[in-house]
Amino acid sequence: STRDEAVASPGALPRAAAVRELASYEPATGVEMWRGRVGDVDDLVERARRAFPTWAAQPLSTRMELVRRFANEVRKDAEALAATIARETGKPMWEAHAEVESVLAKVEISIRAYADRTSQRKLDSALQGTMAVRHKPHGVLVVLGPFNMPAHLPGAHIVPALIAGNTVIFKPSEKAPATGELLARLLHRAGVPAAVMQVCPGGPAEGQMLVAHDGIDGVLFTGSANTGISINRKLAARPDKLVALEMGGNNPLVVWDTPKLTDAAAIVVQSAFASAGQRCTAARRLIVKDSMYEPLLAEVKALADRVIFGAPFDSPTPFMGPVIDTMAADGLTESFLYLLGHGGRAIKHLVRPDESLPFLSPAIIDVTAMADRPDVELFGPILQVVRVGDFDEAIAEANATRFGLVAALIGGTPQEYNRFWGGVRAGIVNWNRPTISPSHAGPVGGTGLSGNHRPTGYYAADYCAYPVASGEMEQPRAAIGVGLR
Ligand code: NAD
């Protein structure tokens, strides 16, 4: 069987087990690496609800201590966690290790962020007594994770949610349940109670059931725009439920005048092809000044030709692995052919050496001549190139998308960067830096179809707790000064 039929229907199982099963397969080999039952949503929500009051009443210092112990557990098991991520996503080991480092970094960032952004404040006023601002957790939060960074990105919601005093039901991507389960085990080993942090293995069906469940207080989502929109729609009549959406991008990387062609090309290749292009922040569109086009593209192509793509544990070490499954590889191949058939000119073809596996080469295609360029996120190693004449055109081109996660400018003067920063619409705007790997010490989120202004990273503290204002005095002191008979 393949990953594409991973969510087995009840009919495919023996009658006695009328429970849905889920399996996960290594993209690089097709070998099954995990199998288990999907979560019982009602049961999970009920447990989480029951656990909430006690957890929320713990001193903040206790919850902080537990997430620090979680970091220690991650350190102890870093190798196993990295290997699980690498096997389950197909990414090279060096990159899986980098993901583990991000999980660790997020712990201290979240502790600092909670203290900075949700600390207790008291404003004294002689007339009105004390005005206190304190924060409360929402209750039961559902975390829906994507497959591409199956430990780091769910962790980026889970850790701040737990610090703030919420109980969490984490549904990992159906393509990365093993990583999700391991992440939860490390939290439990650290002492986070089982009912406070529960895993719900499952696919879109379990995601939908969790979102629609009356007993939850919010959804913290990282994934594609289509899914995010459907979650938003489902909760449209429930303004009381928190919805934090981190979605995809169609991210522009503008290259302007720079003498540093080799560095510029390296930034382009890194931004477009790291993780086989399976990053929300990957550069999808390279927008190049006319005069830079020939020399830059020659460098980019030469470097992309050198990119080794292979299995996680291959030697020599690959730069990137396969895409997540054969269905994704099929879709990307179709998209590439569509671009070719509608006015695109291949600079570097998309090559799939083995039809039975989802390995794809980096691909580069000039789409300047295309009349209607589809504004969709191609979640793989396909870079589209657009040639422009002047800087205003470059900014307009960068903004020609409904998404708005990242935009980056390579080269240009400080004045041009200022114009770029002011004119471009995105949650992350970089200069001479790759589009990928945003620091979680800052906000991580986007505009338009990329998110709903609840950026994660440092700012996750903001949506994990809500502020409560309290006017407070030791004794009642009524004051009606006017209007009495
Ligand atoms: P996805 O939208 O397919 O799935 C994300 C999660 O939602 C999974 O757990 C899935 O099971 C669940 N889900 C699917 N349909 C659902 C529904 N109707 N209701 C409730 N839950 C549902 O995303 P993916 O393919 O796993 O991840 C890749 C996408 O994530 C890309 O679009 C990428 O850009 C985006 N992403 C965004 C960020 C960010 O921080 N902005 C980071 C990483 C990935």
Side-chain angles (χ1 to χ4, degrees), residues 2-4 27-28 30 309 320-337 348-363 381-382:
T2 68
R3 175 191 286 279
D4 303 338
F309 55 102
M320 63 186 224
V323 295
I324 192 67
D325 56 24
T326 51
M327 219 157 72
D330 293 346
L332 288 158
T333 306
E334 266 172 45
S335 299
F336 191 78
L337 292 175
K348 182 173 166 55
H349 271 282
L350 187 71
V351 177
R352 182 166 174 188
D354 180 346
E355 284 295 321
S356 68
L357 291 171
F359 289 97
L360 295 173
S361 71
I382 300 176

Side-chain angles (χ1 to χ4, degrees), residues 143-149 153 171-175 202-209 211 221-228 230-231 234 245-249 278-281 284 377 379 405 444-446 450 456:
V143 173
L144 299 174
F147 71 78
N148 62 333
M149 293 202 186
L153 294 172
K171 197 201 74 60
S173 162
E174 63 277 18
K175 293 163 189 166
E206 285 68 31
Q208 286 174 16
M209 282 190 268
V211 168
F221 169 79
T222 308
S224 62
N226 281 343
T227 307
S230 89
I231 291 169
K234 192 154 258 164
L245 303 174
E246 284 304 333
M247 304 184 285
Q278 297 169 110
R279 298 227 188 159
C280 54
T281 50
R284 305 289 173 207
E377 178 187 50
F379 209 59
L405 192 53
V444 180
S450 296
T456 178

Side-chain angles (χ1 to χ4, degrees), residues 412-423:
T413 61
Q415 290 72 24
E416 279 161 340
Y417 174 56
N418 277 346
R419 273 169 70 197
F420 184 74
W421 195 93

Side-chain angles (χ1 to χ4, degrees), residues 260-284:
K260 299 235 170 191
L261 266 186
T262 311
D263 295 300
I267 290 176
V268 172
V269 167
Q270 216 184 342
S271 300
F273 303 127
S275 309
Q278 297 169 110
R279 298 227 188 159
C280 54
T281 50
R284 305 289 173 207

Side-chain angles (χ1 to χ4, degrees), residues 77-93:
D77 253 1
E79 202 55 39
L81 180 57
T84 305
I85 295 170
R87 284 175 63 201
E88 201 164 40
T89 62
K91 67 177 71 170
M93 269 305 271

Side-chain angles (χ1 to χ4, degrees), residues 385-423:
V385 185
V386 179
R387 197 175 175 139
V388 293
D390 65 42
F391 202 64
D392 285 333
E393 203 187 328
I395 292 178
E397 192 60 58
N399 280 335
T401 172
R402 299 160 301 162
F403 294 92
L405 192 53
V406 193
L409 172 67
I410 309 298
T413 61
Q415 290 72 24
E416 279 161 340
Y417 174 56
N418 277 346
R419 273 169 70 197
F420 184 74
W421 195 93

